[in-house]
Amino acid sequence: MPQYLVASYLPDNFDPSTVTEAMMEEIHALNRELIAAGARKFACGISPAANAKTLRKQPDGRVLVTDGPYTETKEHMGGFWILEAADLDEALAWAKKAASACEAPGEVRELLFYPAPEKGPGGSK
């Protein structure tokens, strides 16, 4: 069954003290519903974009590490769920509940899985 990333976005100036107990309970209720449905594989919040580190391979092969997120935006990912869903429509139905519970915009992307590195291109060892 396909798996999907459901990401929730927050403004860069997000103040965590504005999160109400009612909002947290709505998020917890959604998580309980996802678990009961067998759809939730993993979920968490993540630290602010200001804490991010970006890595870029340089022409000489070194990897440059810089402060901040990869792109300059007015929003950043604040948390995410990894869901198992029959199809994109089912993942979107869950994502709509997440956008409502978090009072924030979001994004849905299917996770892509490739053969394990110990296996060859044709899937054999």
Side-chain angles (χ1 to χ4, degrees):
M1 187 175 298
Q3 292 184 355
Y4 296 87
L5 167 73
V6 174
S8 178
Y9 291 93
L10 299 171
D12 279 343
N13 63 352
F14 176 72
D15 179 1
S17 70
T18 63
V19 176
T20 64
E21 285 186 39
M23 182 188 296
M24 284 307 305
E25 178 48 38
E26 194 171 349
I27 293 168
H28 290 319
L30 172 58
N31 277 299
R32 289 190 295 269
E33 185 180 358
L34 286 161
I35 291 166
R40 192 184 96 167
K41 296 302 185 187
F42 182 81
C44 69
I46 57 176
S47 68
N51 297 343
K53 300 291 183 191
T54 298
L55 297 90
R56 288 184 178 87
K57 183 177 178 182
Q58 302 300 296
D60 65 3
R62 292 180 308 117
V63 176
L64 176 65
V65 179
T66 57
D67 290 335
Y70 175 70
T71 58
E72 301 262 340
T73 66
K74 294 182 181 178
E75 299 177 325
H76 62 274
M77 188 185 303
F80 64 91
W81 288 265
I82 301 295
L83 306 181
E84 192 168 77
D87 55 29
L88 179 60
D89 289 338
E90 183 180 330
L92 286 169
W94 287 116
K96 287 176 183 177
K97 291 182 178 195
S100 178
C102 295
E103 298 179 12
E107 179 176 345
V108 176
R109 291 192 191 187
E110 185 173 355
L111 301 181
L112 303 176
F113 294 95
Y114 297 100
E118 64 274 3
K119 295 186 179 186
S124 61
K125 286 189 173 187

